[in-house]
Amino acid sequence: MLLSEATNPGGAFNLVPWIVFFPVIGLLVNLVAGKRMGEKFIGTVASLASGLAFAVSVALFFALQANHGHKEIFHLLDWINIGALNIGWDFRIDTLSVTMMLVVSGIGTLIHIYAAGYMHYDVRYKEDPASYVRFFIYLNLFIAMMMILVSGDNYLMLFVGWEGVGLCSFLLIGFWFNRSPDGTFGTGNSYAAKKAFIANRVGDFGFLMAIFTTFWVTHSLQFDEVFHHLDSGEVPAWAIWAIAMFMLLGVTGKSAQIPLYVWLPDAMAGPTPVSALIHAATMVTAGVYLITRSAPIFSAGEGVHNVVAWVGAGTALFAATIAVGQYDIKKVLAYSTVSQLGFMVAAVGMGAYAAGMFHLVTHAFFKALLFLGSGSVILAVERGHHPIGEDAHGDHHDEHHGHDDHGHAFDPQDMRNMGGLRKRIPWTFWTYIMGTLALAGVPIWAGFFSKDEILADALHFNIGIYIVLSIAAFFTAFYMGRQVWLVFFGEPRSHGAEAAKESPRTVLIPLVILAILSTLGGFMNFPEVHQFGHWLEYTLGHFYHPTEFNANVALGSTAFGLAALFISWLVYGQNPRQTAKEKDPLEKAFPGIFAGMNAKWWIDEIYEDLIIRPYQKLAAWLADVLDWRFWHDWFHERVIRDGFFGLTRFLAHPVDLGVIDGIANGLARVTQGGATALSIFQTGFVRNYALWVFVGVVSILGYLIFR
Amino acid sequence: MVPVEYYVGLSAILFTIGTLGVLTRRNAIIIFMSIELMLNSANLLFVAFARTFEALSGQIFVFFVMTVAAAEVAVGLALIVAVFRTKDTINIDEVSSLRG
Amino acid sequence: MAPELIVFLVLGAVAVGSALGMLMSRNAVYSAMFLIMNFATVAVFYLVLGAPFIAMVQVTVYAGAIMVLFLFVIMLLGAEHLERRTGLDWQKPIAVVLGLVLLVEAGYVLASGQASLPAIAIPEAGYGAPAQIGELLFSQYLLPFEVTSVLLLAAMIGAIVITRRDAPKRKKN
């Protein structure tokens, strides 16, 4: 556990708790000293904490390779020890968990660095510079919790991390809790945070039920023991089904799948680095990790694969269509994330665990890149619109000079207010292009390899899922093309876009690194070689099967993606919109469909009508009829009160006055007399009290000696 | 060697004198000194028994008692000074606000 | 009589005498002086009992540092004399009687031989030497030793906080 032990043979495994300790130390340092030390110190400490966790992950990676991929379990503490139940605070180091650790801490570190630059401006636009340190405390806490989630050796520890990241997500979505997503003062952001938390609670309920059921049928929560029990065939089929379905409910909550995905788009209320880290790259992939980790459970249940795969595929397509109709640059990416998570869930649902994990990793690269890029765009527009320093605060009338759509505050996230940004912010532009190509699945870029592997698996598994996912991939390329044309090409459509400023270096360096990763990341699982797959095979065992490269699938999806990009150019690139207020070309052509996509297919409203309102009505009905009329009016008034009166009338006269009062008064008199007698001793003189102590000492001693 | 019972007796006498000091004197500082005397008698007993049973731990305990006594004196004297400031006396009998 | 017994009786008489002197003195400064004398005699007892290290600490820390602190506070507060009669004089005879009872009890225990104590043996060389104490202190008693340092720190801070006259007002930011 100590750092010095790392030099021992095989000692790197003993470092594993530090992946949690480093972020915790970082957050404690910032908690204690952050406020006094200034932004440079805070950013450095937080980034360093995350970076050291990454260094430990790298050390674990090499140690694991030297160990030929054999897993190690590091026991840190006993946790729950009741009878046969023995749950430890154990870290599991296997290829799967180390992969997740590398992704979480690696991308986490880049995003920490980015945030150090980004939040400098954000806290000033929100006029609350003191929040800077709070942000990094939450961010480090998130890294620590995520590390617990991915490194735990039992479902309970995983659950601790699961809930911990949920808490961090809540805190960070509501980071500007006194504002609304459009930047004005209000409760919008805290509403979004609440929504995320409650939607996740529904999922967490599922996960908890899965844990309970698992413990009920296997008497253990440790991964290997649970899976061993499953292998032995003692566990009834219905129990496996129940566990898998409950777990799937948990996954739909955390990984934003149908029907619980609604919280993720709203989660964009958080600062952009949060969207990138938590709501794109890491936390939301926890569900995919959970399914991969529980591969034996999901593979054991009859028909479980189909359910999971269809949930994922359905989400992938559904969210992709919504993304087409969004104007907010981050909302597009949010629905894109939901859609890509659908791809991953579909992949792991089909049993293609390696393909799903591969897509998880590449998606972490390019989606983090896209989110950070969008943050850089937003920052550039905001700084162009409202230069900091020239105008501290107060001169907000500037915001009303005509370029905005709604006549409210200027929205720097609205793509209609952008345009022509490629010349103003070239670094952001080029890195964004890399991310777009990766997400659209253009060959060579990372997304091509991972998405292709999923599609090839889908063709093998079920042609229906293949078709659905292909259409989703088509939409993906289309909405990304639309976004790039709207944001970077054409002419600036607002004052902010005209005067946009390139972001500082701390923001750009992570972008460049992520762009490189997004471009080259696909080669780590090159078809027919499958280094990444074989790496995971150490953990997955016989649940791993290499995906055969299918040239037709690859060509087809490439053609689809390029066609989608071309169509998006026809629609948006050829004749760029001139003003911010113009209608979307798609809206002119298909008003009904576009309205649906823009309004997110009214899912929030449907949930409101179908679930929330009836729930409220039921609650009101229960309150009125059950609680008030039945319980209060009838039961309390008639049964209890009247019955009570009858009883008391009897008790009051013969029983109470005669017997009870006599005893009570007697007791009172005795107490009073005793108190009067004892009050002599309370003189208030300390010495007097000491005397009584001494009397006690002497008497006790006397009793002990002379008894 | 002198039998250990002698030391026990001496210690008892010193302890009793210390107790009497606490109970009969009014000056807070002298009461405090009496407490130190009581601690000292206990220390004497520790050392004597450490010698009797050849257990060095007894002496270590004396060491700890002395450190605790030092801490106690620092805080106690500070308290006396604080009391003197507010009450303008260190007569323990005039500090009797414990009476209800 | 054996010479050791003579030494014990003489030193014991001095110790008891100085303790009584502390008890009886009207002047607090005299009391403190008597107490220092008492501590010094006890230090000699420590030496006789094979505890040179403890004896040294007794003289330096107890008779030295702590008693100086006492004298300092006595002088500072001008509290050499204060005897105003209060209503607690009835306590004195009770206390004396109780003290005598305690002594009788202790004497009875010793005389009746309820507690059978072994004779004091002659210790091996180096017993109670600083080296031996130190070795024990830094191995078996390391944790209490460290805790003691925290205690001293707390006492120091406590003393400062208690005696500070007024909290210096912070500049408003």
Side-chain angles (χ1 to χ4, degrees):
Chain A
M1 204 182 113
L2 295 172
L3 286 172
S4 56
E5 286 171 20
T7 48
N8 301 342
F13 290 120
N14 298 332
L15 285 175
V16 63
W18 288 93
I19 60 170
V20 177
F21 291 165
F22 276 129
V24 169
I25 291 170
L27 90 87
L28 288 179
V29 168
N30 271 340
L31 199 62
V32 174
K35 279 235 156 89
R36 292 171 205 185
M37 300 299 285
E39 294 187 354
K40 282 238 168 66
F41 174 84
I42 296 164
T44 312
V45 166
S47 308
L48 208 61
S50 177
L52 287 170
F54 179 63
V56 173
S57 308
V58 171
L60 290 175
F61 171 77
F62 284 116
L64 202 54
Q65 235 169 15
N67 209 19
H68 306 291
H70 291 304
K71 69 159 195 281
E72 281 292 325
I73 288 170
F74 181 85
H75 178 75
L76 179 63
L77 285 172
D78 284 335
W79 184 15
I80 300 176
N81 251 333
I82 308 167
L85 176 61
N86 195 340
I87 295 172
W89 204 259
D90 294 334
F91 291 89
R92 184 187 184 93
I93 308 137
D94 61 13
T95 51
L96 179 60
S97 67
V98 167
T99 307
M100 289 300 288
M101 285 177 209
L102 285 170
V103 170
V104 171
S105 58
I107 293 188
T109 307
L110 290 177
I111 291 174
H112 272 78
I113 296 168
Y114 173 95
Y118 181 89
M119 292 309 287
H120 171 78
Y121 292 99
D122 203 28
V123 293
R124 279 164 184 74
Y125 283 119
K126 301 293 195 297
E127 291 160 24
D128 187 12
S131 285
Y132 192 82
V133 66
R134 188 161 60 93
F135 183 81
F136 283 96
I137 290 169
Y138 290 166
L139 221 51
N140 270 347
L141 179 64
F142 170 76
I143 297 283
M145 284 302 171
M146 196 68 203
M147 286 305 201
I148 292 175
L149 197 165
V150 299
S151 64
D153 186 42
N154 50 57
Y155 280 109
L156 211 55
M157 220 175 130
L158 201 160
F159 188 70
V160 169
W162 185 273
E163 291 294 298
V165 293
L167 170 71
C168 295
S169 163
F170 168 78
L171 291 172
L172 285 163
I173 294 170
F175 187 73
W176 300 118
F177 49 80
N178 55 357
R179 305 218 173 220
S180 286
D182 59 3
T184 54
F185 285 100
T187 55
N189 286 354
S190 38
Y191 179 79
K194 226 165 55 183
K195 186 173 173 182
F197 201 73
I198 292 170
N200 264 304
R201 298 272 7 123
V202 178
D204 294 346
F205 156 77
F207 188 21
L208 260 184
M209 291 304 291
I211 291 177
F212 293 158
T213 318
T214 307
F215 185 72
W216 184 26
V217 293
T218 65
H219 306 288
S220 174
L221 290 177
Q222 205 269 334
F223 294 139
D224 293 329
E225 288 173 19
V226 169
F227 303 151
H228 182 74
H229 263 276
L230 289 181
D231 279 345
S232 67
E234 294 164 8
V235 182
W238 64 265
I240 296 176
W241 234 86
I243 295 170
M245 286 301 114
F246 277 131
M247 232 176 236
L248 179 63
L249 183 59
V251 170
T252 59
K254 189 70 58 189
S255 286
Q257 299 298 296
I258 291 174
L260 294 176
Y261 72 92
V262 287
W263 65 270
L264 185 56
D266 285 20
M268 298 303 132
T272 305
V274 174
S275 310
L277 177 60
I278 301 186
H279 304 120
T282 54
M283 183 191 85
V284 288
T285 60
V288 181
Y289 167 76
L290 176 64
I291 296 183
T292 312
R293 175 59 81 203
S294 312
I297 295 176
F298 281 85
S299 293
E302 194 75 23
V304 172
H305 276 320
N306 265 318
V307 179
V308 181
W310 275 111
V311 166
T315 310
L317 177 58
F318 189 72
T321 61
I322 297 179
V324 173
Q326 299 301 310
Y327 288 119
D328 186 317
I329 185 169
K330 279 175 74 182
K331 278 275 160 70
V332 174
L333 295 176
Y335 280 104
S336 162
T337 305
V338 175
S339 164
Q340 296 299 308
L341 286 168
F343 272 89
M344 292 173 218
V345 171
V348 292
M350 293 182 294
Y353 300 107
M357 286 302 294
F358 182 36
H359 197 54
L360 186 157
V361 175
T362 58
H363 174 258
F365 294 154
F366 58 70
K367 192 49 71 63
L369 167 63
L370 286 172
F371 263 114
L372 296 184
S374 77
S376 178
V377 168
I378 295 165
L379 194 61
V381 174
E382 178 122 41
R383 286 169 76 199
H385 172 76
H386 185 208
I388 227 158
E390 291 171 30
D391 166 335
H393 53 76
D395 191 17
H396 284 281
H397 307 290
D398 194 39
E399 290 172 356
H400 293 283
H401 64 55
H403 291 291
D404 49 286
D405 246 36
H406 318 287
H408 311 305
F410 173 76
D411 186 357
Q413 305 195 9
D414 195 323
M415 296 195 290
R416 287 170 293 191
N417 289 334
M418 298 176 187
L421 285 174
R422 71 181 186 284
K423 292 173 203 145
R424 308 287 321 178
I425 47 173
W427 282 94
T428 307
F429 168 65
W430 281 111
T431 52
Y432 207 86
I433 290 292
M434 297 298 134
T436 304
L437 293 175
L439 176 53
V442 176
I444 299 186
W445 277 274
F448 167 75
F449 292 103
S450 54
K451 198 183 288 181
D452 217 60
E453 212 171 303
I454 295 176
L455 289 174
D457 272 310
L459 189 60
H460 201 277
F461 180 77
N462 183 332
I463 187 84
I465 287 180
Y466 170 73
I467 292 170
V468 170
L469 288 181
S470 291
I471 299 173
F474 175 82
F475 274 112
T476 306
F478 181 76
Y479 65 67
M480 283 318 292
R482 172 178 181 262
Q483 190 175 43
V484 167
W485 302 124
L486 276 178
V487 172
F488 292 105
F489 290 85
E491 292 304 316
R493 289 184 294 273
S494 73
H495 173 65
E498 234 166 86
K501 284 196 193 85
E502 184 62 292
S503 302
R505 204 166 296 164
T506 44
V507 168
L508 292 177
I509 289 172
L511 286 182
V512 171
I513 297 174
L514 283 170
I516 295 168
L517 286 173
S518 304
T519 310
L520 303 177
F523 291 100
M524 70 180 155
N525 199 26
F526 202 77
E528 306 302 318
V529 185
H530 291 304
Q531 305 95 315
F532 184 75
H534 288 303
W535 168 250
L536 283 183
E537 190 179 359
Y538 293 122
T539 302
L540 290 169
H542 61 274
F543 296 106
Y544 171 74
H545 60 88
T547 312
E548 283 166 37
F549 181 70
N550 189 326
N552 293 332
V553 171
L555 278 178
S557 73
T558 308
F560 250 45
L562 290 175
L565 286 176
F566 179 69
I567 294 171
S568 72
W569 178 76
L570 284 180
V571 179
Y572 294 97
Q574 205 177 17
N575 299 307
R577 63 160 62 216
Q578 298 302 319
T579 66
K581 285 178 187 165
E582 227 169 86
K583 272 194 178 176
D584 198 278
L586 276 186
E587 195 175 358
K588 290 178 205 155
F590 314 100
I593 295 175
F594 187 81
M597 297 198 282
N598 184 250
K600 307 147 194 172
W601 302 116
W602 298 283
I603 289 296
D604 276 338
E605 287 77 5
I606 292 171
Y607 277 10
E608 179 83 27
D609 286 343
L610 277 186
I611 300 174
I612 300 174
R613 283 262 179 70
Y615 180 77
Q616 284 169 341
K617 271 190 200 137
L618 178 69
W621 184 83
L622 285 176
D624 180 53
V625 174
L626 190 70
D627 187 61
W628 192 250
R629 285 195 217 151
F630 169 75
W631 192 247
H632 179 269
D633 285 359
W634 185 78
F635 192 76
H636 278 194
E637 303 273 300
R638 295 279 158 276
V639 179
I640 298 185
R641 191 189 61 179
D642 293 353
F644 187 70
F645 275 170
L647 186 65
T648 45
R649 241 170 255 126
F650 165 73
L651 287 177
H653 292 284
V655 183
D656 185 61
L657 280 182
V659 184
I660 310 284
D661 273 16
I663 296 173
N665 288 341
L667 272 178
R669 241 165 263 135
V670 170
T671 313
Q672 203 178 16
T676 315
L678 284 174
S679 72
I680 298 166
F681 293 98
Q682 209 207 351
T683 54
F685 295 111
V686 180
R687 284 199 301 140
N688 205 212
Y689 297 150
L691 179 72
W692 294 116
V693 174
F694 192 43
V695 169
V697 170
V698 170
S699 351
I700 291 171
L701 213 63
Y703 170 74
L704 288 178
I705 294 170
F706 299 109
R707 74 185 150 163
Chain B
M1 288 300 290
V2 181
V4 70
E5 281 86 352
Y6 285 38
Y7 286 102
V8 179
L10 177 63
S11 173
I13 293 169
L14 291 181
F15 187 85
T16 311
I17 294 173
T19 320
L20 289 179
V22 171
L23 292 177
T24 58
R25 298 302 299 260
R26 279 181 279 263
N27 190 328
I29 293 181
I30 294 182
I31 288 178
F32 214 163
M33 288 197 274
S34 305
I35 292 172
E36 296 302 319
L37 185 62
M38 288 158 80
L39 282 172
N40 216 54
S41 72
N43 282 351
L44 180 60
L45 214 52
F46 264 127
V47 172
F49 280 130
R51 176 67 187 278
T52 313
F53 297 109
E54 289 197 59
L56 214 49
S57 301
Q59 295 194 16
I60 302 280
F61 258 91
V62 174
F63 178 78
F64 284 132
V65 171
M66 282 180 181
T67 24
V68 172
E72 176 218 333
V73 166
V75 176
L77 287 177
L79 279 172
I80 289 175
V81 171
V83 167
F84 185 76
R85 279 218 193 105
T86 49
K87 297 256 174 186
D88 210 29
T89 180
I90 52 169
N91 187 336
I92 201 87
D93 286 353
E94 288 182 29
V95 188
S96 58
S97 29
L98 266 180
R99 179 166 38 197
Chain C
M1 266 204 290
E4 287 144 350
L5 194 58
I6 297 172
V7 171
F8 176 84
L9 288 179
V10 171
L11 281 178
V14 173
V16 173
S18 56
L20 285 173
M22 184 217 71
L23 182 65
M24 306 288 192
S25 294
R26 297 283 99 187
N27 189 323
V29 177
Y30 293 171
S31 287
M33 290 303 182
F34 275 122
L35 193 58
I36 293 174
M37 193 171 159
N38 178 273
F39 285 168
T41 14
V42 173
V44 177
F45 277 125
Y46 290 163
L47 272 180
V48 172
L49 284 169
F53 175 71
I54 296 295
M56 203 171 62
V57 175
Q58 169 93 353
V59 171
T60 50
V61 175
Y62 242 130
I66 292 182
M67 290 315 294
V68 167
L69 201 60
F70 267 106
L71 285 169
F72 209 71
V73 172
I74 296 169
M75 308 286 191
L76 180 77
L77 302 183
E80 295 92 335
H81 300 280
L82 79 131
E83 295 297 330
R84 238 187 301 149
R85 299 263 150 189
T86 43
L88 265 186
D89 289 327
W90 53 270
Q91 190 170 311
K92 199 176 266 184
I94 299 179
V96 171
V97 170
L98 281 173
L100 286 176
V101 172
L102 185 69
L103 275 182
V104 167
E105 284 171 352
Y108 176 78
V109 171
L110 286 177
S112 68
Q114 273 185 7
S116 56
L117 294 169
I120 289 183
I122 292 178
E124 56 207 272
Y127 170 84
Q132 222 176 359
I133 299 268
E135 209 180 300
L136 205 57
L137 206 54
F138 287 103
S139 55
Q140 196 184 342
Y141 292 96
L142 183 61
L143 184 66
F145 183 69
E146 296 297 337
V147 172
T148 310
S149 67
V150 177
L151 177 78
L152 285 173
L153 178 68
M156 196 165 72
I157 295 170
I160 293 169
V161 171
I162 291 169
T163 49
R164 198 167 54 161
R165 240 174 227 287
D166 276 310
K169 278 183 183 163
R170 277 195 179 175
K171 283 176 199 166
K172 280 188 180 171
N173 294 324

